[in-house]
Amino acid sequence: LEKSVSVKVDSDLTLLLTSGVYEIKKMEPRSRLRSIVLICLFLAIAGIVGFGYFCQDQVCALSKRDILMNQESITSISSELHDNAGKPLQLLGNPGLSYEEVLNDDFQFDMNAHDVMVFLHIQKTGGTSFGKHLVRDLDLKRPCTCQRKKKRCYCFRPHRNENWLFSRYSTGWKCGLHADWTELVGCVDQELDKNEGETAKRRYFYITLLREPIARYLSEFRHVQRGATWKNSRHWCLGKQATANELPPCYTGDNWFGVKLEKFAGCEYNLAANRQTRMLADLALVGCYNRTYMQKEERDRIMLASAKRNLAAMSYFGLTEYQKISQYIFEETFNLRFAIPFEQHNTTVSTTTMNNLSIEQRKKIEDLNALDIELYSFAKKLMFQRFEKLKAKDNDFNVRFSHLGNLGVKNGVTEFNWDSNIDDVTDMH
């Protein structure tokens, strides 16, 4: 005689386990040993579920917020993350509070507590200008204090000298030059503990910008052509740096000055291709920079799915081509106000380069950035969904939107030029 007990596993574990429901059978005394083993299994599963669901957010790797994301996207994205045996891949890391949690009615970005905004700065997406907006143009009780002739500002909490912003212009490149999602998630908390001399339970809010992939790629090409490199980037993953065999250089000498587009696009190890997807994905899922870990098609599929998942779970992201909408979403999401309006520049150096491309060159660049093109399409759709929801909740939308940045606190508009001169010596190395 058998009695069945069905145990429904919490949704937080459905990405980690092959099935959400397990059946435990209770046998007669003649199978007492088997019964004991199965009961222990039940208790273990129940313990994992309870620990993952109820423990404190910053402590648990299986906390509820690690899996929360845009409801429309989670089914399609999660179903793609499987290994070669068909088993769901574990999603690693703690990407901070999700967008859904931030939109709760009682949410407030609390600078008086331990909230930290983490800016993931992807090259040539307008991150330099946005980063300056964060440290210079927010209307704060205690504004950031910027030092002359130094590209560093102190962005401290109102009543104590602790950072509320983790970015290039506030803390510097603490997790590496243009650190990606994989590097930041495994580094930020440790670096802040070291910087502030104490361990704190912080809430993290990851933010980033994306740009139309072809324009971004060409902007990076022109940047490198002028002599810039990012060879000091760590490319850290699973406790180690990418090796020279995994990421061999595309050029000899100090830089790639004067490189032609064909040669730039012809190097298979050039990280400019699909840079946005790679920098937003959890690279531990694809063996970091080890290209022999899995087939290229499988690697691309998993990396894109992971990038979509992480982007959708971020507290905020903006698109470089939609400055005004991006500014509005940021202000409404965090209940913070910029003292100036963001300015839109639709004609850049990369635009001129793009207009001079041959059909063959355009096709080559599109093929190289196929993952980024799909990611950007996903991001654009998701951003406008968020915009419409915020707009519907805002009874004063027309007035608010037409007067973005007009607080009367500062005069003038910060130039927003994506392809301006190279203004950070660290970007030259």
Side-chain angles (χ1 to χ4, degrees), residues 263-276:
K263 194 166 186 179
F264 184 82
C267 178
E268 65 173 310
Y269 296 101
N270 189 348
L271 294 179
N274 292 316
R275 179 179 290 281
Q276 297 176 103

Side-chain angles (χ1 to χ4, degrees), residues 122-169:
I122 301 173
Q123 290 94 315
K124 311 311 295 178
T125 59
T128 296
S129 295
F130 181 69
K132 290 177 180 177
H133 283 317
L134 290 174
V135 299
R136 295 198 311 207
D137 301 320
L138 277 174
D139 184 28
L140 303 171
K141 291 181 179 179
R142 184 182 181 182
C144 298
T145 304
C146 299
Q147 299 173 298
R148 283 188 175 275
K149 297 184 179 180
K150 289 187 177 180
K151 298 179 177 68
R152 188 68 56 83
C153 301
Y154 297 113
C155 296
F156 292 145
R157 304 187 188 282
H159 304 297
R160 62 187 189 277
N161 293 340
E162 292 180 2
N163 295 284
W164 61 265
L165 175 64
F166 193 97
S167 74
R168 164 189 181 179
Y169 289 120

Side-chain angles (χ1 to χ4, degrees), residues 230-242:
W230 293 285
K231 61 186 178 184
N232 281 351
S233 295
R234 297 191 313 168
H235 304 119
W236 195 264
C237 179
L238 289 181
K240 69 181 185 70
Q241 193 168 352

Side-chain angles (χ1 to χ4, degrees), residues 327 331 338-342 400 403-410:
Q327 179 176 356
E331 293 188 0
F338 288 101
I340 66 169
F342 293 178
R400 271 275 296 123
H403 291 87
L404 282 175
N406 296 332
L407 298 182
V409 177
K410 293 184 180 181

